[in-house]
Amino acid sequence: MSSSASSHIEIKADSFAANDSSAFIEKIRPNTGISEPVYKQLQRRINDMIQSGELGDGFSLPSERALAEALDLSRTTVRRCYEELRAQDCIATHGRAGVTVKAPPSRINPEMGKLKGFTEEMRELGVTPSTQILEHKIVVDRTIASIFNRPASTRFLRLVRVRLGDGMPLSREVAWYDLTVAPALADWNGEGSAYQYLELQCGLGLVHAEQSIEAVLSDDVEVGVFGFDQPGPCLLLKRKTYADNGQIVEYVEGTFRGDAYTYRVNLKIRPN
């Protein structure tokens, strides 16, 4: 990349001024008359442009020297700004290739309120679902049996899956299924929708589920699955699913990446 202040800077065509480096420089130019540190102003303004989509994934930013010259700042100030952005995983430095934007993926926005599996949810949103099976085995687990209110000797199918949307890993699920209630699940390969298999192959109607959602940081396994550089914010969903015979048939803990998943809830003033 050229080091001159007028270096070509790639920006989304629908942004404030496509491929116009001078417009980019003016948009991030700090205000020296306020108390906020200059490097913080730069960091905040560049981050805002990334989050809004004005700077897309993979687009080039000026080198430290070029940006310092364009803004009449010290390289130390620009370096600190870039270090903060790297720590937030907003940019990446590739040696002579320069500095590039690491924009967050488009968010998935499923609506809550209806019992449905990942496969159905993705298809409703126009996203192609797929699955990677990490573990598939029959287990006896005293702790899980207590969640199901079943004897300690109860056999469960334990299934660990990575769920992908349009090829991007969105969640890692650890699920247990009661083989006493649904023995045919022992022959299921774990692909596709568990709910569809329960209804069509096991003859069970699913009537309702109890679900909780909490904020967590990804663990070491999830960092690898999601391709994070370090632990990142995620949503942990825990769900018990009940069959029409009143028994729990599924317990699942799913960790969804926080940078790609946002749940929507419709609230009624006067519920039916």
Side-chain angles (χ1 to χ4, degrees):
M1 180 187 296
S2 170
S3 61
S4 68
S6 60
S7 300
H8 177 73
I9 301 172
E10 294 186 73
I11 298 173
K12 275 190 174 181
D14 59 352
S15 62
F16 59 92
N19 301 323
D20 187 341
S21 61
S22 61
F24 168 77
I25 294 299
E26 289 307 310
K27 186 149 189 174
I28 67 168
R29 186 178 297 279
N31 182 352
T32 56
I34 62 176
S35 60
E36 184 182 19
V38 169
Y39 83 91
K40 277 288 187 185
Q41 294 183 50
L42 292 177
Q43 172 200 342
R44 174 171 50 80
R45 291 173 184 179
I46 294 174
N47 187 50
D48 287 347
M49 293 168 69
I50 293 172
Q51 297 301 321
S52 69
E54 290 181 84
L55 294 176
D57 187 63
F59 289 126
S60 298
L61 293 178
S63 67
E64 290 178 6
R65 184 164 69 88
L67 189 56
E69 290 177 357
L71 295 172
D72 195 22
L73 299 172
S74 70
R75 286 190 64 176
T76 301
T77 298
V78 176
R79 181 178 300 115
R80 188 165 183 187
C81 163
Y82 278 180
E83 286 174 349
E84 293 285 330
L85 289 170
R86 273 191 293 271
Q88 295 176 336
D89 204 31
C90 293
I91 64 171
T93 304
H94 306 284
R96 293 185 178 180
V99 182
T100 57
V101 169
K102 294 179 66 176
S106 301
R107 286 183 174 267
I108 303 296
N109 294 283
E111 184 174 352
M112 299 183 68
K114 178 185 175 184
L115 177 57
K116 54 189 171 184
F118 179 89
T119 299
E120 181 184 0
E121 197 167 68
M122 291 299 103
R123 287 174 176 164
E124 287 182 357
L125 295 169
V127 176
T128 301
S130 57
T131 299
Q132 293 177 356
I133 310 295
L134 302 184
E135 184 179 317
H136 181 290
K137 64 181 180 180
I138 309 301
V139 300
V140 174
D141 188 309
R142 183 184 298 272
T143 301
I144 297 302
S146 68
I147 293 175
F148 281 77
N149 296 317
R150 303 292 290 173
S153 59
T154 301
R155 296 166 67 247
F156 297 95
L157 169 63
R158 185 177 191 270
L159 189 62
V160 182
R161 300 189 288 178
V162 177
R163 313 306 299 274
L164 302 92
D166 287 342
M168 181 179 71
L170 295 178
S171 73
R172 175 180 175 267
E173 295 180 354
V174 184
W176 293 264
Y177 299 93
D178 188 346
L179 295 179
T180 304
V181 178
L185 273 174
D187 299 323
W188 179 44
N189 63 9
E191 297 285 349
S193 170
Y195 292 164
Q196 186 177 41
Y197 196 93
L198 284 166
E199 292 183 343
L200 298 181
Q201 304 299 324
C202 302
L204 288 175
L206 304 177
V207 290
H208 74 281
E210 299 169 355
Q211 180 167 283
S212 65
I213 304 176
E214 58 188 279
V216 297
L217 283 177
S218 54
D219 62 21
D220 291 342
V221 175
E222 291 151 357
V223 165
V225 166
F226 297 142
F228 293 161
D229 294 329
Q230 58 188 351
C234 292
L235 297 175
L236 173 61
L237 279 68
K238 298 180 181 180
R239 181 172 62 245
K240 295 178 184 177
T241 305
Y242 291 79
D244 50 11
N245 59 10
Q247 294 180 307
I248 302 172
V249 67
E250 173 198 56
Y251 174 65
V252 60
E253 296 182 355
T255 304
F256 291 76
R257 54 190 299 162
D259 61 351
Y261 227 85
T262 302
Y263 269 106
R264 294 179 295 117
V265 181
N266 282 327
L267 302 178
K268 297 181 181 180
I269 296 177
R270 295 180 180 85
N272 294 333

